Amino acid sequence: MADPILELRQLKKRFGATVAADDLSFSVMPGEFFTLLGPSGSGKSTVLRIVAGLERPDSGAILIEGRDISASPPWERDLGMMFQQYAIFPHMTVAENIAYGLKIRRVEQAKTRRRVEEMLALVGLSGMGGKRATLLSGGEQQRVALARALAPAPRMLLLDEPLSALDERIRRLMQAELKHVHQNIGTTFIYVTHDQEEALTMSDRIAVLNRGVFVQCDKPEPLYKRPRTRFVAEFFRGCNVLTAKALGASDGGIRILLANQEFVAIAPEERTLGAEVHVAVRSENVYFGSHAPESAIRLSARLVEVVYRGTVLDYRFLLPDGQPLVAMTTRHFPLSREGSVTLAIDAADLILLAD
Ligand code: ADP
């Protein structure tokens, strides 16, 4: 297996009483699209700034290609950066913006011209090199920023919420573009976002941060389907977190008492059981009506409301013990608010959480 291109070892950073990075360790492999995901203030930008050399950690080491660069200034790290603010030079043309990093490195003119053309094509702006940068739309300006960051062929590109200032439609378009560019050039991308969907769509691997601590690091699908903690489960929209009573170990899981009924929940790892546990089940995995799989466990519930969300509908229920449970469907089912409804959950979709 290849060696990591980036390795952080026990990184710590405090700002007064705030812990922005609490003993963080992780590795990124060459060519990976690696995302730091977490709510605002969880420490994502601080980690990225430490990697870039714009912030000094209190302790810990940063290794790039196996070499400890903790003491190196930013310009010796050979990294590209892209931020939320467009940060392109308004008095320059598109081509001059893209050529900026090459000029600083004294790359010869003919080579610079070729590289600028290459970058314009890469980000879909061929023929726009002579335009004034400020005449471009927000999405186009971010394409220029991307081309400028990539022109000197940095060994890694650090991207801090580069799409959050764009409107929804352009953002979706740019997500696909960024992923496409990443696949085309194979450069390692370290991406910061608070947007779960953006992280899931684009990343090879995602590290979820909460208050400076990595709570889970995984590929998008396992992270979405198998959250380890309540924080991760609740961070991904559409996940129900329920409180249950632990009864004891069972084959491949533990027996729990949920809303006065006994079930076996999947336990991804060995753990000591408290009297109370939390289980997660995604709202698209809660069935009602004739859609329930044969093997599913059944719960009776009372319908509270139906929320229309465009392509999907949320059916909001209450379990007999008063806990809320949401079932998501793609079409409307006529359900009555009188009496009880039988809900079904496949035991394989009931995940025991670690806290
Ligand atoms: P995120 O990128 O996840 O929003 P940040 O890394 O920007 O989080 O911030 C993590 C925490 O550190 C926050 O509580 C923030 O207020 C604090 N912080 C970040 N930079 C500074 C700074 N230069 N001075 C003081 N506090 C800071």
Side-chain angles (χ1 to χ4, degrees):
M1 202 164 117
D3 293 327
I5 188 166
L6 171 70
E7 202 183 338
L8 300 195
R9 289 189 188 154
Q10 297 176 304
L11 210 66
K12 287 191 185 174
K13 178 71 184 176
R14 274 175 170 278
F15 295 102
T18 308
V19 184
D22 192 3
D23 214 5
L24 288 184
S25 298
F26 68 92
S27 303
V28 178
M29 301 311 284
E32 245 190 322
F33 195 124
F34 188 89
T35 296
L36 302 171
L37 172 69
S40 173
S42 55
K44 309 177 296 292
S45 295
T46 301
V47 174
L48 207 69
R49 290 170 60 77
I50 288 174
V51 174
L54 302 173
E55 200 82 70
R56 283 185 80 84
D58 299 334
S59 60
I62 309 135
L63 284 80
I64 293 184
E65 289 167 351
R67 201 168 63 87
D68 190 342
I69 50 97
S70 314
S72 310
W75 54 91
E76 280 176 15
R77 298 188 183 195
D78 187 19
L79 308 170
M81 288 212 73
M82 193 177 163
F83 300 96
Q84 178 181 337
Q85 310 79 4
Y86 308 136
I88 55 172
F89 305 119
H91 55 286
M92 292 185 188
T93 64
V94 169
E96 284 163 352
N97 263 282
I98 299 175
Y100 183 77
L102 303 171
K103 209 167 160 188
I104 286 178
R105 287 168 178 78
R106 299 208 164 82
V107 176
E108 61 178 79
Q109 276 190 5
K111 207 166 162 192
T112 298
R113 270 199 300 276
R114 276 200 305 277
R115 185 68 178 160
V116 167
E117 287 307 318
E118 225 176 278
M119 290 297 106
L120 282 169
L122 180 73
V123 300
L125 291 179
S126 288
M128 309 254 287
K131 254 197 165 178
R132 266 202 115 58
T134 41
L135 295 178
L136 304 179
S137 69
E140 285 168 340
Q141 289 195 30
Q142 276 308 55
R143 284 168 197 260
V144 175
L146 176 65
R148 189 183 60 186
L150 289 173
R155 54 183 155 189
M156 244 186 293
L157 184 64
L158 312 180
L159 306 101
D160 194 349
E161 305 255 9
L163 309 181
S164 5
L166 303 174
D167 69 44
E168 175 77 11
R169 195 181 64 83
I170 304 292
R171 197 163 75 229
R172 300 261 165 263
L173 206 76
M174 284 294 288
Q175 284 172 6
E177 282 283 310
L178 260 181
K179 184 78 199 152
H180 185 68
V181 166
H182 173 256
Q183 280 163 348
N184 259 342
I185 58 170
T187 303
T188 310
F189 278 26
I190 318 262
Y191 195 90
V192 160
T193 182
H194 64 274
D195 182 332
Q196 43 145 342
E197 207 177 309
E198 190 162 293
L200 290 172
T201 334
M202 302 171 78
S203 321
D204 293 319
R205 252 180 341 136
I206 301 169
V208 182
L209 265 170
N210 181 24
R211 295 167 192 246
V213 177
F214 273 152
V215 280
Q216 192 168 350
C217 181
D218 240 320
K219 292 187 163 128
E221 199 178 332
L223 189 68
Y224 180 78
K225 290 192 170 165
R226 293 265 175 273
R228 274 195 64 245
T229 62
R230 259 190 292 170
F231 178 82
V232 178
E234 281 163 354
F235 191 73
F236 287 96
R237 197 172 40 228
C239 193
N240 294 286
V241 175
L242 300 165
T243 305
K245 217 165 154 181
L247 298 176
S250 167
D251 250 3
I254 65 152
R255 282 184 302 114
I256 58 166
L257 194 65
L258 174 62
N260 305 323
Q261 272 181 268
E262 220 181 293
F263 305 116
V264 173
I266 302 234
E269 55 203 57
E270 285 282 320
R271 49 167 299 191
T272 42
L273 292 174
E276 197 175 75
V277 291
H278 293 99
V279 288
V281 58
R282 293 212 46 86
S283 57
E284 66 266 31
N285 294 330
V286 179
Y287 303 93
F288 52 85
S290 56
H291 282 248
E294 268 303 300
S295 60
I297 54 182
R298 311 256 188 256
L299 284 168
S300 81
R302 195 167 55 75
L303 179 66
V304 180
E305 61 175 344
V306 182
V307 181
Y308 176 70
R309 293 205 288 127
T311 45
V312 295
L313 296 114
D314 278 346
Y315 281 74
R316 299 181 173 274
F317 296 95
L318 276 184
L319 296 177
D321 62 358
Q323 297 196 72
L325 182 68
V326 179
M328 191 194 83
T329 66
T330 47
R331 66 182 182 87
H332 185 259
F333 291 90
L335 280 191
S336 161
R337 252 171 255 209
E338 308 300 320
S340 68
V341 180
T342 301
L343 300 181
I345 299 167
D346 200 326
D349 294 325
L350 205 55
I351 316 295
L352 181 71
L353 300 171
D355 57 353

